[in-house]
Amino acid sequence: MSNERVLEDKVIVVTGAGRGIGREFALLAAQHGAKVVVNDLGSAVTGEGQDEKVADQVVREIRAAGGEAVANSDSVAEYKSAAGIVEQAVATYGRIDGVINNAGILRDRIFHKMEPEEFDAVMKVHLYGAFNVSRAAATYFRKQESGAYVHMTSGSGLYGNFGQANYSAAKLGICGLSRSIALEMSRFRVRSNCIGPSAFSRMIEAIPTNTPEQAAHVEKRRKTMSPARIAPMAVFLLSDLAKEVNGQIFSVRANEIYLVSQPRPIRSAHNSEGWTPGTIAEIVLPSFRSALVPLDRARDVLPSDVLP
Ligand SMILES: NC(=O)c1ccc[n+]([C@@H]2O[C@H](COP(=O)([O-])OP(=O)(O)OC[C@H]3O[C@@H](n4cnc5c(N)ncnc54)[C@H](O)[C@@H]3O)[C@@H](O)[C@H]2O)c1
């Protein structure tokens, strides 16, 4: 089993596959026998600029290792160009079996100073990007009655973070999108799952370290939390080994894999006469108080100083 090529002959689109985590997804998928469309706009972390060489380079690496891949440098942020990525997969390899929505940018800013353009740019790449590529592939998945999506979410959306309201909103939105796709397309044997990765890529390097202690911590984690550690989970989820896994969210970092809970009611209160603001304060609040979710952030939920 361990040497099995679990994506043999499957055609996989990986967006943002020129660098970081996406590059590792593309390399491992190809190693497992997939024909890979390596998409990457080649932009800066903030989304500006374009460089075709970024996707080309990964295609060269895959081919040098004996794998099959083709480059695409279109943006996922607009429907037409995103659909073109899926069309290239079908035109080149005759079909499409899986999509990894991985492309991403950051425009971090504390909320009360965040500009509408900063919110918009992040939504466009992450949430619209995931919709655009997924929707284009859905037409093929429905017809052939098979297909798998893996979307990158984030601890910032799942658990919370500072300075990333745009990114958190997009990343939690992606979980809702994935869950809806899973519910609606399971009857066509299509699966949709999310991974919240933690790995040292340029995206993480973009977060400033304010103290020597923080800088030392980053240096220590750079090796254990490498982007390559995220790839086996994505390849598993795309493969038929995961045929019973649908609508789920996982966090992955270093050698750890977590299954993440999804919102469910945890306390309830009923009053046959209905509620007033006053009776809510008097009766509901005391009964809910101990279960209110604390204002912690991703790093409080999954502290990285516990990693070996
Ligand atoms: N690194 C982490 O710890 C971490 C944590 C949580 C979530 N994520 C998510 O994982 C994914 C990969 O992140 P990474 O850390 O490898 O970042 P990265 O910056 O190294 O890679 C992202 C790639 O996406 C490409 N890209 C940007 N906009 C694009 C567009 N419009 N169309 C196509 N490609 C585009 C970039 O050129 C870049 O190569 C992202 O979705 C990110 O939000 C990463």
Side-chain angles (χ1 to χ4, degrees), residues 19 21 40-41 43 75-76 102 167 171 197 199 201-202 204:
R19 303 185 178 99
I21 300 170
D40 204 300
L41 182 63
S43 69
S75 174
V76 300
N102 169 82
Y167 183 70
K171 289 307 209 185
S201 65
R202 66 171 190 165
I204 291 284

Side-chain angles (χ1 to χ4, degrees), residues 15-23 25 39-45 47 51 54 72-78 85 101-106 124-126 129 151-156 167 171 174 195-204 225 227 230 252:
T15 70
R19 303 185 178 99
I21 300 170
R23 174 177 165 274
F25 290 157
N39 158 265
D40 204 300
L41 182 63
S43 69
V45 178
D51 182 358
V54 172
N72 175 292
S73 58
D74 292 331
S75 174
V76 300
E78 304 299 329
I85 307 169
N101 282 312
N102 169 82
I105 64 167
L106 289 178
K124 276 291 195 192
V125 176
H126 289 277
H151 318 270
M152 290 307 109
T153 181
S154 166
S156 297
Y167 183 70
K171 289 307 209 185
I174 285 173
I195 296 176
S198 296
F200 275 92
S201 65
R202 66 171 190 165
M203 201 174 265
I204 291 284
M225 292 172 61
I230 315 297
V252 182

Side-chain angles (χ1 to χ4, degrees), residues 240-274:
D240 298 339
L241 296 174
K243 58 177 183 288
E244 67 193 273
V245 185
N246 201 3
Q248 303 302 310
I249 304 169
F250 303 91
S251 280
V252 182
R253 62 169 190 181
N255 292 333
E256 300 174 328
I257 296 172
Y258 299 84
L259 176 62
V260 178
S261 64
Q262 296 184 42
R264 293 288 179 274
I266 51 172
R267 292 272 164 104
S268 71
H270 173 262
N271 184 343
S272 53
E273 288 157 29

Side-chain angles (χ1 to χ4, degrees), residues 15-307:
T15 70
R19 303 185 178 99
I21 300 170
R23 174 177 165 274
E24 299 294 342
F25 290 157
L27 294 176
L28 193 67
Q31 254 180 53
H32 275 272
K35 297 165 181 155
V36 184
V37 177
V38 176
N39 158 265
D40 204 300
L41 182 63
S43 69
V45 178
T46 50
E48 282 109 353
Q50 188 163 358
D51 182 358
E52 288 181 5
K53 293 193 289 295
V54 172
D56 286 342
Q57 174 56 35
V58 176
V59 168
R60 272 201 295 278
E61 282 180 63
I62 290 174
R63 289 182 182 161
E68 275 191 69
V70 65
N72 175 292
S73 58
D74 292 331
S75 174
V76 300
E78 304 299 329
Y79 187 77
K80 216 169 153 205
S81 56
I85 307 169
V86 171
E87 293 313 320
Q88 187 176 344
V90 176
T92 311
Y93 298 121
R95 56 184 292 119
I96 176 159
D97 299 289
V99 167
I100 306 183
N101 282 312
N102 169 82
I105 64 167
L106 289 178
R107 293 276 178 93
D108 291 2
R109 182 93 58 197
I110 201 78
F111 182 66
H112 62 273
K113 293 186 178 163
M114 186 170 283
E115 298 293 339
E117 303 78 57
E118 292 166 333
F119 186 81
D120 202 43
V122 167
M123 281 302 204
K124 276 291 195 192
V125 176
H126 289 277
L127 187 54
Y128 280 75
F131 167 79
N132 291 340
V133 184
S134 298
R135 174 62 190 86
T139 305
Y140 294 98
F141 286 180
R142 191 233 173 283
K143 221 179 282 166
Q144 73 200 20
E145 302 217 335
S146 71
Y149 298 103
V150 178
H151 318 270
M152 290 307 109
T153 181
S154 166
S156 297
L158 294 170
Y159 312 125
N161 208 356
F162 272 39
Q164 295 194 314
N166 47 3
Y167 183 70
S168 300
K171 289 307 209 185
L172 203 51
I174 285 173
C175 293
L177 175 71
S178 174
R179 182 86 190 169
S180 294
I181 293 171
L183 285 168
E184 293 181 19
M185 296 198 74
S186 63
R187 65 196 159 130
F188 306 125
R189 294 191 297 143
V190 174
R191 298 178 298 102
S192 180
N193 293 288
C194 291
I195 296 176
S198 296
F200 275 92
S201 65
R202 66 171 190 165
M203 201 174 265
I204 291 284
E205 307 280 1
I207 300 169
T209 49
N210 297 322
T211 63
E213 290 76 27
Q214 281 176 4
H217 179 74
V218 163
E219 199 42 52
K220 203 169 148 201
R221 294 288 158 249
R222 196 171 271 128
K223 276 202 190 102
T224 33
M225 292 172 61
S226 75
R229 308 269 180 117
I230 315 297
M233 189 64 185
V235 168
F236 162 76
L237 289 171
L238 287 177
S239 80
D240 298 339
L241 296 174
K243 58 177 183 288
E244 67 193 273
V245 185
N246 201 3
Q248 303 302 310
I249 304 169
F250 303 91
S251 280
V252 182
R253 62 169 190 181
N255 292 333
E256 300 174 328
I257 296 172
Y258 299 84
L259 176 62
V260 178
S261 64
Q262 296 184 42
R264 293 288 179 274
I266 51 172
R267 292 272 164 104
S268 71
H270 173 262
N271 184 343
S272 53
E273 288 157 29
W275 297 100
T276 66
T279 56
I280 292 170
E282 200 183 311
I283 300 165
V284 179
L285 182 57
S287 107
F288 284 10
R289 188 173 280 122
S290 64
L292 294 178
V293 180
L295 279 178
D296 43 26
R297 341 182 186 176
R299 70 180 191 205
D300 305 314
V301 178
L302 289 181
S304 64
D305 49 6
V306 299
L307 283 173

